[in-house]
Amino acid sequence: MWSAPPAYPRRVARWTGEWLPGTGDGGQGTDQHGSRWPGEKLGLPESGVGSAASGGARLLGLIVDLVVAALVTAIFLHPSLQDPAAMQEFNLWSGGVWAVISVISAGFFGFTPGMAVVGVRVARLDGAALVGPLRALVRAALTFVLIPAAVRNADGRSWLDRLTGTVVIRMR
């Protein structure tokens, strides 16, 4: 039986720490923002469970989610590669299925099917157990736009993470 991992991170930096200077120690081995590894300012470990997820894992999880959504859609609506109108309808429905899968699974479980495959999950910075449907909806809407999901800071957090007060961490 699946058991929820502990709520990470337990200790977080000030919310202004992402853009105000002087929040790092400026010591050897730090990046330009004062961190030695992504997520250090948020209290995340350097590696292993609870560390910041890589961009590659996040992208692979999204691709898996999109494939799952297309397969579920194909059960009800058969794609026809020769018919552009049919493919446009299929893609529209597939995007809707992806949104529903993403919002429900991330909102209530902290991860989507694709995130589970690659071993990452979404955690709230305030330590709450659930991401919640509203935050998951905002994350899905911004992921759909793509640019907010792609631009990340030194802690590996995208714009959608910063807007919703979340971070994507490793589960294994």
Side-chain angles (χ1 to χ4, degrees):
M1 183 118 213
W2 180 82
S3 141
Y8 286 101
R10 299 224 187 272
R11 182 178 62 86
V12 297
R14 296 181 324 190
W15 67 275
T16 56
E18 289 187 18
W19 65 83
L20 287 181
T23 57
D25 64 0
Q28 295 294 331
T30 63
D31 67 5
Q32 64 189 9
H33 304 288
S35 296
R36 292 185 298 264
W37 63 83
E40 178 186 24
K41 289 182 193 175
L42 302 172
L44 300 177
E46 185 173 3
S47 62
V49 175
S51 63
S54 70
R58 294 170 67 135
L59 178 61
L60 183 57
L62 175 62
I63 291 169
V64 170
D65 286 335
L66 292 172
V67 169
V68 167
L71 292 173
V72 169
T73 305
I75 294 171
F76 302 102
L77 185 66
H78 300 290
S80 174
L81 297 176
Q82 292 78 25
D83 184 5
M87 286 308 297
Q88 186 175 13
E89 181 181 4
F90 179 83
N91 289 338
L92 180 66
W93 279 103
S94 186
V97 169
W98 169 82
V100 169
I101 289 171
S102 294
V103 170
I104 291 173
S105 60
F108 293 106
F109 303 110
F111 54 87
T112 64
M115 290 176 149
V117 167
V118 298
V120 299
R121 72 181 297 269
V122 181
R124 285 180 47 172
L125 291 178
D126 62 8
L130 292 178
V131 173
L134 182 59
R135 288 176 199 257
L137 180 63
V138 170
R139 288 180 59 83
L142 290 175
T143 300
F144 183 76
V145 176
L146 221 56
I147 297 299
V151 178
R152 299 183 311 146
N153 67 2
D155 285 320
R157 295 177 66 214
S158 65
W159 287 354
L160 60 101
D161 290 320
R162 289 178 268 173
L163 183 64
T164 59
T166 59
V167 63
V168 179
I169 59 173
R170 293 177 53 193
M171 288 193 298
R172 52 182 183 249

